Amino acid sequence: MKMTFLQQCITIGVMVLGVVLTRFLPFLIFPPGRPTPRFVRYLGAVLPAAVFGMLVVYCLKDVRFFEGTHGLPEALAIALTVVLHVWKRQMLLSIAGGTLFYMLLVQTAF
Amino acid sequence: MMCMQRYDLFSENNFSAEKNEFLYMHTPSPSVHTSGLRRERAHFHEIFLTLQKHKSAPRMNTSHPATRTTALRAAFPYTVPICAGFLFLGMTYGILMNVSGFSFWYPMIMAMSIFSGSVEFVAVNVLLGAFHPVAAFGLAVMIGARHLFYGLSMLDRFRGLGWKKPVIIFMMCDETFSIEYTAEVPAGVDRGWFMLWVSVLDYVYWVAGAVLGAVCGDFICFSTEGLEFVMTAMFVVIFTEQWLKDRNHVPALVGLLVSAACLLVFGAEQFIIPSMMGILLVLGLLRGRLSNAGQKAGAKGGEG
Protein backbone atom coordinates (compact mmCIF):
# COMPACT_ATOMS: atom_id res chain seq x y z
CA MET A 1 0.00 0.00 0.00
CA LYS A 2 1.45 3.30 -1.12
CA MET A 3 -0.47 5.59 1.20
CA THR A 4 0.08 6.15 4.90
CA PHE A 5 -2.87 5.72 7.25
CA LEU A 6 -3.31 9.48 7.48
CA GLN A 7 -3.32 9.83 3.69
CA GLN A 8 -5.94 7.08 3.48
CA CYS A 9 -8.09 8.92 6.02
CA ILE A 10 -7.76 12.17 4.09
CA THR A 11 -8.60 10.43 0.80
CA ILE A 12 -11.69 8.75 2.26
CA GLY A 13 -12.64 12.01 3.96
CA VAL A 14 -12.53 14.12 0.80
CA MET A 15 -14.45 11.46 -1.13
CA VAL A 16 -17.15 11.41 1.57
CA LEU A 17 -17.22 15.21 1.45
CA GLY A 18 -17.52 15.17 -2.36
CA VAL A 19 -20.44 12.75 -2.41
CA VAL A 20 -22.27 14.31 0.53
CA LEU A 21 -21.88 17.69 -1.16
CA THR A 22 -23.60 16.42 -4.30
CA ARG A 23 -26.52 15.21 -2.18
CA PHE A 24 -27.05 18.36 -0.11
CA LEU A 25 -26.05 21.10 -2.54
CA PRO A 26 -29.37 21.38 -4.43
CA PHE A 27 -31.25 21.90 -1.17
CA LEU A 28 -28.76 24.57 -0.08
CA ILE A 29 -28.51 26.62 -3.27
CA PHE A 30 -32.00 26.26 -4.70
CA PRO A 31 -34.49 27.36 -2.11
CA PRO A 32 -38.06 26.41 -3.00
CA GLY A 33 -39.75 28.39 -5.73
CA ARG A 34 -36.68 29.60 -7.61
CA PRO A 35 -36.17 28.33 -11.16
CA THR A 36 -33.08 26.20 -11.81
CA PRO A 37 -30.50 27.86 -14.09
CA ARG A 38 -30.69 26.62 -17.68
CA PHE A 39 -27.07 25.55 -17.79
CA VAL A 40 -27.53 23.36 -14.72
CA ARG A 41 -30.52 21.71 -16.35
CA TYR A 42 -28.55 21.23 -19.55
CA LEU A 43 -25.74 19.56 -17.60
CA GLY A 44 -28.31 17.40 -15.85
CA ALA A 45 -29.38 16.09 -19.23
CA VAL A 46 -25.96 15.52 -20.81
CA LEU A 47 -23.49 14.97 -17.96
CA PRO A 48 -24.53 11.48 -16.74
CA ALA A 49 -23.89 9.79 -20.10
CA ALA A 50 -20.53 11.55 -20.45
CA VAL A 51 -19.46 10.70 -16.89
CA PHE A 52 -20.27 7.03 -17.36
CA GLY A 53 -18.23 7.05 -20.56
CA MET A 54 -15.37 8.56 -18.58
CA LEU A 55 -15.73 5.92 -15.88
CA VAL A 56 -15.54 3.10 -18.43
CA VAL A 57 -12.25 4.59 -19.63
CA TYR A 58 -11.14 5.02 -16.00
CA CYS A 59 -11.73 1.31 -15.37
CA LEU A 60 -9.54 0.43 -18.35
CA LYS A 61 -6.76 2.93 -17.60
CA ASP A 62 -4.25 0.28 -16.52
CA VAL A 63 -4.86 -2.08 -19.44
CA ARG A 64 -1.82 -2.34 -21.73
CA PHE A 65 -2.94 -2.76 -25.32
CA PHE A 66 0.51 -3.25 -26.80
CA GLU A 67 1.92 -5.89 -24.47
CA GLY A 68 0.86 -8.90 -22.41
CA THR A 69 -2.69 -9.93 -23.28
CA HIS A 70 -3.29 -6.80 -25.42
CA GLY A 71 -6.47 -6.10 -23.47
CA LEU A 72 -8.11 -9.11 -25.07
CA PRO A 73 -9.79 -10.51 -21.92
CA GLU A 74 -11.15 -7.03 -21.13
CA ALA A 75 -12.47 -6.58 -24.68
CA LEU A 76 -14.13 -10.02 -24.71
CA ALA A 77 -15.68 -9.60 -21.28
CA ILE A 78 -16.97 -6.12 -22.11
CA ALA A 79 -18.45 -7.46 -25.36
CA LEU A 80 -20.24 -10.22 -23.45
CA THR A 81 -21.46 -7.76 -20.82
CA VAL A 82 -22.92 -5.46 -23.47
CA VAL A 83 -24.52 -8.32 -25.41
CA LEU A 84 -26.02 -9.78 -22.23
CA HIS A 85 -27.35 -6.41 -21.26
CA VAL A 86 -28.85 -5.49 -24.64
CA TRP A 87 -30.39 -8.95 -24.76
CA LYS A 88 -31.85 -9.30 -21.25
CA ARG A 89 -31.66 -5.77 -19.76
CA GLN A 90 -31.01 -7.31 -16.32
CA MET A 91 -28.28 -5.31 -14.61
CA LEU A 92 -27.24 -7.97 -12.12
CA LEU A 93 -27.18 -10.69 -14.77
CA SER A 94 -24.99 -8.59 -17.09
CA ILE A 95 -22.58 -7.58 -14.32
CA ALA A 96 -22.30 -11.08 -12.84
CA GLY A 97 -22.02 -12.70 -16.28
CA GLY A 98 -19.33 -10.32 -17.50
CA THR A 99 -17.33 -10.55 -14.28
CA LEU A 100 -17.45 -14.35 -14.07
CA PHE A 101 -16.46 -14.61 -17.73
CA TYR A 102 -13.52 -12.26 -17.14
CA MET A 103 -12.40 -14.24 -14.07
CA LEU A 104 -12.61 -17.42 -16.11
CA LEU A 105 -10.55 -15.86 -18.91
CA VAL A 106 -7.73 -14.49 -16.75
CA GLN A 107 -7.57 -17.59 -14.58
CA THR A 108 -7.58 -20.20 -17.32
CA ALA A 109 -7.17 -18.91 -20.88
CA PHE A 110 -4.67 -16.07 -20.41
CA MET B 1 -26.25 2.74 -7.33
CA MET B 2 -27.28 0.29 -9.96
CA CYS B 3 -30.63 0.87 -11.37
CA MET B 4 -30.02 3.82 -13.62
CA GLN B 5 -33.55 4.09 -14.72
CA ARG B 6 -34.49 7.26 -16.51
CA TYR B 7 -37.19 9.49 -15.31
CA ASP B 8 -38.57 12.73 -16.34
CA LEU B 9 -36.60 15.11 -14.19
CA PHE B 10 -38.28 18.20 -15.41
CA SER B 11 -41.91 17.34 -15.32
CA GLU B 12 -42.28 18.79 -11.84
CA ASN B 13 -44.34 21.92 -11.53
CA ASN B 14 -41.38 23.99 -10.46
CA PHE B 15 -39.87 23.54 -13.90
CA SER B 16 -43.03 24.21 -15.83
CA ALA B 17 -41.92 27.63 -17.06
CA GLU B 18 -39.05 26.24 -19.07
CA LYS B 19 -39.93 22.63 -19.34
CA ASN B 20 -39.51 20.28 -22.28
CA GLU B 21 -36.24 21.79 -23.39
CA PHE B 22 -34.05 18.83 -22.58
CA LEU B 23 -36.66 16.17 -22.34
CA TYR B 24 -35.53 14.47 -25.50
CA MET B 25 -32.84 12.77 -23.49
CA HIS B 26 -35.20 11.51 -20.87
CA THR B 27 -37.56 8.79 -21.72
CA PRO B 28 -39.85 8.41 -18.77
CA SER B 29 -40.11 4.70 -18.39
CA PRO B 30 -40.53 2.43 -15.43
CA SER B 31 -37.54 0.46 -14.31
CA VAL B 32 -36.95 -2.49 -16.59
CA HIS B 33 -36.48 -5.06 -13.93
CA THR B 34 -38.91 -3.80 -11.36
CA SER B 35 -41.90 -3.36 -13.61
CA GLY B 36 -43.01 -6.92 -13.01
CA LEU B 37 -43.04 -6.28 -9.30
CA ARG B 38 -45.11 -3.19 -9.70
CA ARG B 39 -48.21 -5.29 -10.16
CA GLU B 40 -47.47 -7.21 -6.98
CA ARG B 41 -47.04 -3.94 -5.16
CA ALA B 42 -50.33 -2.67 -6.47
CA HIS B 43 -51.90 -5.87 -5.24
CA PHE B 44 -50.25 -5.45 -1.86
CA HIS B 45 -51.60 -1.94 -1.62
CA GLU B 46 -55.11 -3.08 -2.38
CA ILE B 47 -54.98 -5.55 0.46
CA PHE B 48 -53.37 -2.96 2.63
CA LEU B 49 -56.03 -0.36 1.90
CA THR B 50 -58.79 -2.84 2.61
CA LEU B 51 -57.22 -3.66 5.95
CA GLN B 52 -56.94 0.04 6.70
CA LYS B 53 -60.63 0.59 6.07
CA HIS B 54 -61.62 -2.27 8.34
CA LYS B 55 -59.67 -1.22 11.35
CA SER B 56 -60.56 2.46 10.84
CA ALA B 57 -57.12 3.98 10.54
CA PRO B 58 -55.99 6.14 13.43
CA ARG B 59 -55.55 9.85 12.85
CA MET B 60 -52.21 10.66 11.29
CA ASN B 61 -49.71 11.33 14.02
CA THR B 62 -46.13 11.13 12.85
CA SER B 63 -44.72 10.25 16.26
CA HIS B 64 -47.18 7.42 16.88
CA PRO B 65 -45.52 3.97 16.78
CA ALA B 66 -48.35 2.67 14.55
CA THR B 67 -47.49 5.33 11.96
CA ARG B 68 -43.96 4.00 11.84
CA THR B 69 -44.86 0.33 11.50
CA THR B 70 -47.57 1.05 8.94
CA ALA B 71 -45.09 3.00 6.85
CA LEU B 72 -42.48 0.27 7.23
CA ARG B 73 -44.96 -2.34 6.04
CA ALA B 74 -45.84 -0.17 3.05
CA ALA B 75 -42.21 0.61 2.20
CA PHE B 76 -40.65 -2.83 2.54
CA PRO B 77 -42.15 -4.48 -0.61
CA TYR B 78 -40.72 -1.69 -2.75
CA THR B 79 -37.22 -2.42 -1.51
CA VAL B 80 -37.18 -6.21 -2.00
CA PRO B 81 -35.63 -6.19 -5.51
CA ILE B 82 -33.07 -3.68 -4.26
CA CYS B 83 -32.24 -5.92 -1.32
CA ALA B 84 -31.00 -8.65 -3.66
CA GLY B 85 -29.00 -6.25 -5.78
CA PHE B 86 -27.41 -4.38 -2.90
CA LEU B 87 -26.49 -7.52 -0.98
CA PHE B 88 -24.83 -8.95 -4.10
CA LEU B 89 -22.96 -5.81 -5.11
CA GLY B 90 -22.20 -4.82 -1.52
CA MET B 91 -20.71 -8.24 -0.86
CA THR B 92 -18.65 -8.02 -4.04
CA TYR B 93 -17.39 -4.64 -2.87
CA GLY B 94 -16.56 -6.03 0.58
CA ILE B 95 -14.74 -9.01 -0.91
CA LEU B 96 -12.83 -6.75 -3.30
CA MET B 97 -11.71 -4.55 -0.40
CA ASN B 98 -10.74 -7.65 1.55
CA VAL B 99 -8.63 -9.16 -1.22
CA SER B 100 -7.12 -5.71 -1.87
CA GLY B 101 -5.70 -5.87 1.65
CA PHE B 102 -8.10 -3.69 3.65
CA SER B 103 -9.52 -4.78 7.00
CA PHE B 104 -13.31 -4.91 7.28
CA TRP B 105 -13.38 -1.52 9.01
CA TYR B 106 -12.60 0.20 5.71
CA PRO B 107 -15.52 -1.11 3.64
CA MET B 108 -17.82 -0.80 6.64
CA ILE B 109 -16.98 2.84 7.35
CA MET B 110 -16.87 3.71 3.65
CA ALA B 111 -20.20 1.99 2.95
CA MET B 112 -21.74 3.90 5.86
CA SER B 113 -20.23 7.30 5.02
CA ILE B 114 -20.00 7.32 1.21
CA PHE B 115 -22.98 5.04 0.52
CA SER B 116 -22.57 5.18 -3.23
CA GLY B 117 -21.51 1.97 -4.92
CA SER B 118 -19.87 3.59 -7.92
CA VAL B 119 -17.84 5.98 -5.73
CA GLU B 120 -16.85 3.17 -3.37
CA PHE B 121 -15.63 0.89 -6.17
CA VAL B 122 -13.59 3.76 -7.60
CA ALA B 123 -12.31 4.49 -4.08
CA VAL B 124 -10.72 1.01 -3.97
CA ASN B 125 -8.53 2.02 -6.91
CA VAL B 126 -7.92 5.49 -5.54
CA LEU B 127 -6.75 4.09 -2.19
CA LEU B 128 -4.37 1.68 -3.92
CA GLY B 129 -2.84 4.43 -6.06
CA ALA B 130 -0.75 7.47 -5.22
CA PHE B 131 -2.01 10.18 -2.84
CA HIS B 132 -4.02 12.71 -4.88
CA PRO B 133 -6.68 14.22 -2.60
CA VAL B 134 -7.81 16.82 -5.16
CA ALA B 135 -8.34 14.18 -7.86
CA ALA B 136 -10.11 11.96 -5.31
CA PHE B 137 -12.45 14.80 -4.36
CA GLY B 138 -13.07 15.66 -8.03
CA LEU B 139 -13.84 12.03 -8.85
CA ALA B 140 -16.31 11.75 -5.98
CA VAL B 141 -18.07 14.95 -7.07
CA MET B 142 -18.19 13.92 -10.75
CA ILE B 143 -19.47 10.42 -10.03
CA GLY B 144 -21.87 11.74 -7.43
CA ALA B 145 -23.00 14.58 -9.72
CA ARG B 146 -26.20 12.78 -10.60
CA HIS B 147 -27.31 13.22 -6.98
CA LEU B 148 -27.48 16.94 -7.79
CA PHE B 149 -30.28 16.21 -10.20
CA TYR B 150 -32.03 13.80 -7.87
CA GLY B 151 -31.94 16.60 -5.33
CA LEU B 152 -33.32 19.10 -7.81
CA SER B 153 -36.26 16.85 -8.56
CA MET B 154 -36.95 16.22 -4.87
CA LEU B 155 -36.81 19.85 -3.69
CA ASP B 156 -40.57 19.99 -3.30
CA ARG B 157 -41.17 16.44 -2.25
CA PHE B 158 -38.84 16.58 0.74
CA ARG B 159 -40.35 19.79 2.05
CA GLY B 160 -41.74 19.76 5.57
CA LEU B 161 -40.24 16.46 6.66
CA GLY B 162 -38.39 17.95 9.63
CA TRP B 163 -35.50 15.89 11.01
CA LYS B 164 -36.16 13.13 8.48
CA LYS B 165 -35.21 15.40 5.60
CA PRO B 166 -31.41 15.54 6.16
CA VAL B 167 -31.37 11.79 6.84
CA ILE B 168 -33.20 11.04 3.59
CA ILE B 169 -30.93 13.43 1.67
CA PHE B 170 -27.82 11.81 3.15
CA MET B 171 -29.08 8.34 2.17
CA MET B 172 -30.04 9.35 -1.38
CA CYS B 173 -28.93 6.89 -4.05
CA ASP B 174 -30.13 5.80 -7.50
CA GLU B 175 -32.44 3.07 -6.27
CA THR B 176 -33.90 5.00 -3.36
CA PHE B 177 -34.51 7.94 -5.65
CA SER B 178 -36.26 5.79 -8.22
CA ILE B 179 -38.69 4.57 -5.56
CA GLU B 180 -39.23 7.86 -3.80
CA TYR B 181 -39.67 9.69 -7.09
CA THR B 182 -42.08 7.25 -8.70
CA ALA B 183 -43.89 5.46 -5.86
CA GLU B 184 -47.35 6.56 -4.90
CA VAL B 185 -47.37 6.67 -1.14
CA PRO B 186 -50.49 4.66 -0.22
CA ALA B 187 -53.35 6.54 1.42
CA GLY B 188 -53.17 6.41 5.19
CA VAL B 189 -49.40 6.05 5.19
CA ASP B 190 -47.23 8.89 6.44
CA ARG B 191 -45.17 10.23 3.52
CA GLY B 192 -42.13 11.14 5.59
CA TRP B 193 -41.93 7.80 7.35
CA PHE B 194 -42.51 5.95 4.09
CA MET B 195 -39.58 7.68 2.41
CA LEU B 196 -37.41 7.40 5.51
CA TRP B 197 -38.01 3.64 5.64
CA VAL B 198 -37.19 3.19 1.96
CA SER B 199 -33.94 5.11 2.52
CA VAL B 200 -33.02 3.27 5.71
CA LEU B 201 -33.82 -0.19 4.33
CA ASP B 202 -31.70 0.40 1.19
CA TYR B 203 -28.92 1.80 3.35
CA VAL B 204 -28.96 -1.21 5.64
CA TYR B 205 -28.91 -3.65 2.69
CA TRP B 206 -25.83 -1.98 1.24
CA VAL B 207 -23.87 -1.70 4.48
CA ALA B 208 -24.80 -5.27 5.46
CA GLY B 209 -23.64 -6.52 2.07
CA ALA B 210 -20.32 -4.68 2.31
CA VAL B 211 -19.61 -5.95 5.84
CA LEU B 212 -20.66 -9.49 4.96
CA GLY B 213 -18.38 -9.47 1.95
CA ALA B 214 -15.48 -8.02 3.91
CA VAL B 215 -15.83 -10.64 6.65
CA CYS B 216 -16.49 -13.55 4.29
CA GLY B 217 -13.52 -12.55 2.14
CA ASP B 218 -11.26 -14.38 4.60
CA PHE B 219 -13.07 -17.67 4.05
CA ILE B 220 -13.17 -17.65 0.28
CA CYS B 221 -11.48 -20.74 -1.07
CA PHE B 222 -11.63 -20.01 -4.80
CA SER B 223 -9.37 -17.66 -6.71
CA THR B 224 -10.71 -14.11 -6.83
CA GLU B 225 -8.32 -13.10 -9.60
CA GLY B 226 -10.23 -10.87 -11.98
CA LEU B 227 -12.94 -9.94 -9.46
CA GLU B 228 -11.97 -6.28 -9.84
CA PHE B 229 -13.62 -6.45 -13.25
CA VAL B 230 -16.95 -6.11 -11.45
CA MET B 231 -16.43 -2.34 -11.44
CA THR B 232 -15.76 -2.27 -15.19
CA ALA B 233 -18.78 -4.48 -15.82
CA MET B 234 -20.93 -2.23 -13.64
CA PHE B 235 -19.99 0.94 -15.50
CA VAL B 236 -20.24 -0.78 -18.89
CA VAL B 237 -23.78 -1.85 -17.97
CA ILE B 238 -24.76 1.60 -16.74
CA PHE B 239 -23.21 3.14 -19.85
CA THR B 240 -25.09 0.67 -22.09
CA GLU B 241 -28.34 1.28 -20.26
CA GLN B 242 -27.88 5.02 -20.69
CA TRP B 243 -27.01 4.53 -24.38
CA LEU B 244 -30.13 2.47 -25.04
CA LYS B 245 -32.32 5.14 -23.48
CA ASP B 246 -30.68 8.27 -24.90
CA ARG B 247 -31.71 9.45 -28.32
CA ASN B 248 -28.65 11.61 -28.69
CA HIS B 249 -25.39 9.73 -28.19
CA VAL B 250 -23.09 12.74 -28.47
CA PRO B 251 -22.69 13.23 -24.67
CA ALA B 252 -21.78 9.55 -24.21
CA LEU B 253 -19.25 9.74 -27.04
CA VAL B 254 -17.82 12.99 -25.66
CA GLY B 255 -17.25 11.22 -22.34
CA LEU B 256 -15.53 8.24 -23.96
CA LEU B 257 -13.40 10.15 -26.47
CA VAL B 258 -12.31 13.07 -24.30
CA SER B 259 -11.22 10.72 -21.49
CA ALA B 260 -9.49 8.35 -23.91
CA ALA B 261 -7.61 11.29 -25.44
CA CYS B 262 -6.65 12.59 -21.97
CA LEU B 263 -5.51 9.08 -20.98
CA LEU B 264 -3.17 9.00 -23.98
CA VAL B 265 -1.83 12.49 -23.34
CA PHE B 266 -1.61 12.60 -19.53
CA GLY B 267 -1.21 8.93 -18.60
CA ALA B 268 -3.14 6.70 -16.18
CA GLU B 269 -2.21 8.56 -12.97
CA GLN B 270 -3.01 12.09 -14.12
CA PHE B 271 -5.78 11.93 -16.69
CA ILE B 272 -8.91 12.17 -14.57
CA ILE B 273 -8.92 15.90 -13.77
CA PRO B 274 -8.11 16.96 -17.36
CA SER B 275 -10.86 14.57 -18.52
CA MET B 276 -13.43 16.16 -16.22
CA MET B 277 -12.50 19.66 -17.32
CA GLY B 278 -12.39 18.59 -20.97
CA ILE B 279 -15.85 16.99 -20.75
CA LEU B 280 -17.36 20.08 -19.12
CA LEU B 281 -15.68 22.28 -21.72
CA VAL B 282 -16.77 20.25 -24.75
CA LEU B 283 -20.32 19.84 -23.43
CA GLY B 284 -20.40 23.56 -22.73
CA LEU B 285 -19.26 24.33 -26.28
CA LEU B 286 -21.81 21.88 -27.76
CA ARG B 287 -24.60 23.33 -25.65
CA GLY B 288 -26.27 25.24 -28.48
CA ARG B 289 -26.16 22.28 -30.83
CA LEU B 290 -27.29 19.67 -28.32
CA SER B 291 -30.12 21.84 -26.98
CA ASN B 292 -31.33 22.67 -30.51
CA ALA B 293 -31.11 19.06 -31.60
CA GLY B 294 -33.15 18.22 -28.56
CA GLN B 295 -35.85 20.71 -29.36
CA LYS B 296 -36.11 19.39 -32.89
CA ALA B 297 -36.19 15.80 -31.74
CA GLY B 298 -38.76 16.75 -29.15
CA ALA B 299 -40.95 18.47 -31.71
CA LYS B 300 -40.69 15.58 -34.12
CA GLY B 301 -40.93 12.57 -31.92
CA GLY B 302 -42.75 13.79 -28.83
CA GLU B 303 -41.65 12.70 -25.41
CA GLY B 304 -40.72 9.12 -25.43
Side-chain angles (χ1 to χ4, degrees), chain A:
Chain A
M1 237 152 272
K2 290 181 198 169
M3 288 191 204
T4 65
F5 180 68
L6 183 68
Q7 289 177 329
Q8 285 180 342
C9 291
I10 294 173
T11 304
I12 296 172
V14 294
M15 292 190 86
V16 172
L17 188 72
V19 179
V20 169
L21 199 67
T22 61
R23 292 195 173 107
F24 279 92
L25 207 59
F27 297 90
L28 300 179
I29 56 175
F30 298 117
R34 250 179 56 187
T36 323
R38 281 169 159 254
F39 190 64
V40 174
R41 293 172 48 213
Y42 167 71
L43 283 182
V46 294
L47 201 56
V51 168
F52 291 125
M54 180 187 86
L55 288 172
V56 171
V57 175
Y58 176 83
C59 293
L60 300 172
K61 70 183 167 67
D62 294 316
V63 177
R64 298 278 159 268
F65 289 96
F66 304 108
E67 52 199 88
T69 58
H70 301 280
L72 209 59
E74 284 81 9
L76 289 172
I78 286 176
L80 179 82
T81 309
V82 172
V83 168
L84 268 180
H85 195 69
V86 174
W87 180 33
K88 290 284 186 187
R89 291 291 276 277
Q90 295 277 336
M91 288 223 164
L92 282 182
L93 178 79
S94 321
I95 294 174
T99 307
L100 287 175
F101 183 57
Y102 181 80
M103 291 172 75
L104 199 73
L105 283 179
V106 292
Q107 288 180 22
T108 59
F110 288 91

